Amino acid sequence: MKTMKLILVLATVLSVTNISADVVVTPTNVIGPIKPMNGVNNGPKIETGDQTSGNSVAYAAAQFPYARTHDAAFYSGYGGEHTVDITAIFPDFDKDVNDPKSYDFVLTDQYMKDIMSCGTAVFYRLGQKIEHNKKKYGIYPPKDYKKWARICEHIIRHYNEGWADGLHLGIKYWEIWNEPDLDAWGWDTNPRCWGGTEQQFFEFYEVAANHLNKCFPDLMIGGPAIAGNEEWGERFLDYMEKHNVELDFFSWHIYTNRPTDISEKAARMREAMKRHGYGDKESILNEWNYVRGWTKEFVYSLKAVSSEKGAAFTMATMVACQDQPVDKLMYYDARIGTGFNGLFDLYDLSPRPAYYAFYAWKRLLDYGQQVKVENDYEDIYATAAKNNDGKMMIILCRYSEDDNKSSKETYRVRLSEGQISKAIGHLTDEWHRYTEVPLNVTDGAIEVTLWPNSFIAIEM
């Protein structure tokens, strides 16, 4: 009799434990809109019929909401050194800022049109590419801050108002500079993004932002895309607050191998913005990717970026940030030829595993509204959305930094009320690329088996 009672108690405990560890979705608890976590840096390579491949079909299918243009000048397929950067468009700083002949828009025009032809909005970085070589060309403070701002004004008018035989693209976001804090830690005397002092940058940004905000009050003018020095970022925000500089968005970067590092930093960035009166402005993470280390482990990191681990890290980060006070994410990088491109193959430009994280998130965006998900599994990242018809999509991602984890695990998904009757899953792992797979529905719940570093998009 005592043995029977013990068996019953153990059965009850195990049952409760299994239920408490389920992924539980509450469709009636709407949290808010699914956010554009699926932006990227840089655009497609359009097919031209020559010896090179293109990726415009796959790029358009992913429907990336934004393509930030930083470092586009490194890729010849976009126009190389004659593309995007201020020194590329206005190569002689001594020329007349009001004369259209002082500008070279040709290749950047084509690049902008290529991006938008795939249904992606341009997020234009006003500034310069990073410069790693010993000799620098474009990263030093401009000779005349106001003239630099007026050059940017004419670039904006060219792309939005048709100035100088220009276009009418309606580009909304304009970012001033990139990673001015990169060399502020003091451990490297070789500047790569800003060759001046911190004070010089603050003054430069103030002049540029004030001029552009005055010229274009309806556009989003912001920056400065800090590399990661949060103390530097705090001083930047403090200076802008004290000088009454309008900041439509604050942009920042992080590279890590832990999605929680990114989501926790998103919360810190929002708190810093609040402390300086910018709490209601957009917080934009527009460079991020998997990096285990920058020295001896950097090669491993780049290999991981293009693998299933990179794909799972990407999806886990988007899921984690959906629940944090960050408005947009832009992955670095969709640019062809860089080791940070986990989206497209270097040679034939076919989709790599991480591409399908973006493809799945676009589907989630289409559903519209995020609904509450309770998840007690340690290695699972989960989010869900529903549309106006009551249909739902759930994403489960199993990400692990531990290379020794190699066993598959089964997880259960259920509703807080009611039962699931039918579901379709699309799996991405070592053997599948957003492949439709059968799902086992038992007692109104879904059972999902995942290997480490995989994710599944479930629609029901």
Side-chain angles (χ1 to χ4, degrees):
M1 190 65 173
K2 289 182 179 180
T3 302
M4 180 61 69
K5 286 182 179 179
L6 179 59
I7 292 173
L8 289 173
V9 169
L10 287 173
T12 301
V13 169
L14 289 173
S15 176
V16 171
T17 301
N18 287 336
I19 291 175
S20 66
D22 289 348
V23 175
V24 182
V25 182
T26 305
T28 56
N29 191 336
V30 176
I31 297 172
I34 297 295
K35 296 182 288 188
M37 305 285 95
N38 53 330
V40 295
N41 277 252
N42 289 303
K45 171 65 172 68
I46 303 297
E47 293 77 3
T48 58
D50 57 15
Q51 291 180 323
T52 61
S53 301
N55 66 349
S56 66
V57 174
Y59 194 102
Q63 288 290 282
F64 304 109
Y66 295 96
R68 179 176 179 252
T69 59
H70 178 59
D71 282 348
F74 283 118
Y75 179 51
S76 62
Y78 299 151
E81 295 294 325
H82 306 288
T83 313
V84 173
D85 292 350
I86 301 301
T87 54
I89 292 177
F90 198 86
D92 186 347
F93 197 81
D94 294 326
K95 289 289 184 67
D96 182 1
V97 72
N98 296 306
D99 185 357
K101 294 179 182 178
S102 302
Y103 297 79
D104 182 358
F105 289 113
V106 176
L107 297 183
T108 306
D109 282 1
Q110 187 59 55
Y111 183 44
M112 298 299 102
K113 289 187 282 188
D114 288 349
I115 292 173
M116 300 193 76
S117 73
C118 291
T120 296
V122 172
F123 186 101
Y124 201 108
R125 189 272 289 127
L126 296 163
Q128 301 297 134
K129 68 180 183 298
I130 191 171
E131 297 187 28
H132 293 285
N133 293 326
K134 184 176 181 179
K135 185 176 180 179
K136 314 298 178 179
Y137 292 87
I139 66 168
Y140 293 107
K143 291 185 291 186
D144 182 335
Y145 296 168
K146 187 62 178 287
K147 183 173 183 178
W148 190 92
R150 292 177 64 213
I151 294 168
C152 293
E153 173 199 343
H154 285 78
I155 292 173
I156 296 173
R157 294 196 189 283
H158 176 82
Y159 286 112
N160 282 358
E161 300 175 3
W163 181 79
D165 296 322
L167 307 169
H168 293 83
L169 301 181
I171 299 174
K172 182 178 180 181
Y173 287 87
W174 298 86
E175 182 179 46
I176 300 172
W177 219 255
N178 174 78
E179 296 191 349
D181 64 310
L182 181 60
D183 308 294
W185 280 284
W187 51 265
D188 191 342
T189 58
N190 179 33
R192 287 157 289 175
C193 289
W194 178 254
T197 67
E198 177 180 297
Q199 183 65 24
Q200 283 176 314
F201 183 81
F202 292 172
E203 294 171 357
F204 159 73
Y205 187 95
E206 177 186 8
V207 170
N210 284 345
H211 181 78
L212 295 179
N213 280 315
K214 181 180 178 180
C215 293
F216 308 105
D218 296 329
L219 297 181
M220 300 291 285
I221 310 295
I226 65 169
N229 190 320
E230 294 182 36
E231 292 80 10
W232 191 102
E234 192 88 40
R235 294 192 296 271
F236 169 83
L237 291 170
D238 183 64
Y239 180 96
M240 298 308 146
E241 177 191 20
K242 289 178 178 177
H243 290 79
N244 298 312
V245 179
E246 184 178 350
L247 187 71
D248 293 321
F249 64 86
F250 179 65
S251 51
W252 50 280
H253 302 163
I254 179 173
Y255 293 85
T256 181
N257 59 351
R258 297 177 58 210
T260 52
D261 287 347
I262 300 178
S263 60
E264 289 167 3
K265 182 165 184 174
R268 294 197 303 274
M269 292 296 95
R270 177 61 69 186
E271 289 304 311
M273 293 170 69
K274 288 179 180 178
R275 283 193 292 272
H276 298 285
Y278 297 109
D280 61 338
K281 305 301 181 181
E282 288 194 33
S283 173
I284 300 177
L285 168 55
N286 57 15
E287 277 195 38
W288 63 278
N289 208 325
Y290 176 97
V291 171
R292 179 182 283 187
W294 292 101
T295 53
K296 63 181 180 180
E297 293 183 318
F298 187 57
V299 172
Y300 172 90
S301 301
L302 294 183
K303 288 182 178 180
V305 163
S306 60
S307 72
E308 289 72 31
K309 172 170 281 191
F313 170 83
T314 299
M315 178 58 85
T317 296
M318 291 193 284
V319 170
C321 286
Q322 171 65 29
D323 293 323
Q324 292 297 328
V326 58
D327 297 285
K328 293 177 176 65
L329 266 57
M330 295 170 200
Y331 172 94
Y332 187 93
D333 199 345
R335 187 181 85 242
I336 308 304
T338 175
F340 281 113
N341 188 340
L343 308 184
F344 298 103
D345 182 78
L346 172 62
Y347 298 103
D348 65 6
L349 307 192
S350 60
R352 286 173 166 172
Y355 169 87
Y356 297 97
F358 291 86
Y359 188 88
W361 198 269
K362 170 56 173 64
R363 294 284 297 159
L364 196 71
L365 268 172
D366 289 341
Y367 274 77
Q369 294 295 312
Q370 182 186 9
V371 297
K372 183 179 179 180
V373 174
E374 296 173 278
N375 166 41
D376 291 325
Y377 291 112
E378 290 185 359
D379 59 349
I380 288 289
Y381 294 79
T383 193
K386 73 173 183 179
N387 62 19
N388 293 332
D389 297 328
K391 295 181 180 179
M392 288 191 300
M393 179 172 176
I394 303 164
I395 290 178
L396 296 187
C397 176
R398 186 183 178 197
Y399 169 71
S400 175
E401 173 58 8
D402 186 354
D403 293 331
N404 294 316
K405 282 192 175 181
S406 59
S407 62
K408 61 184 178 180
E409 298 288 345
T410 299
Y411 307 91
R412 201 167 77 128
V413 180
R414 63 184 177 89
L415 304 179
S416 58
E417 296 181 4
Q419 294 187 327
I420 300 170
S421 59
K422 184 180 179 181
I424 298 173
H426 287 88
L427 176 65
T428 298
D429 60 13
E430 184 177 354
W431 306 276
H432 303 86
R433 297 291 182 266
Y434 207 77
T435 305
E436 184 173 329
V437 293
L439 294 176
N440 183 25
V441 179
T442 303
D443 297 328
I446 305 169
E447 293 181 353
V448 179
T449 300
L450 296 175
W451 292 91
N453 295 316
S454 61
F455 62 87
I456 188 167
I458 304 168
E459 296 179 78
M460 60 186 187

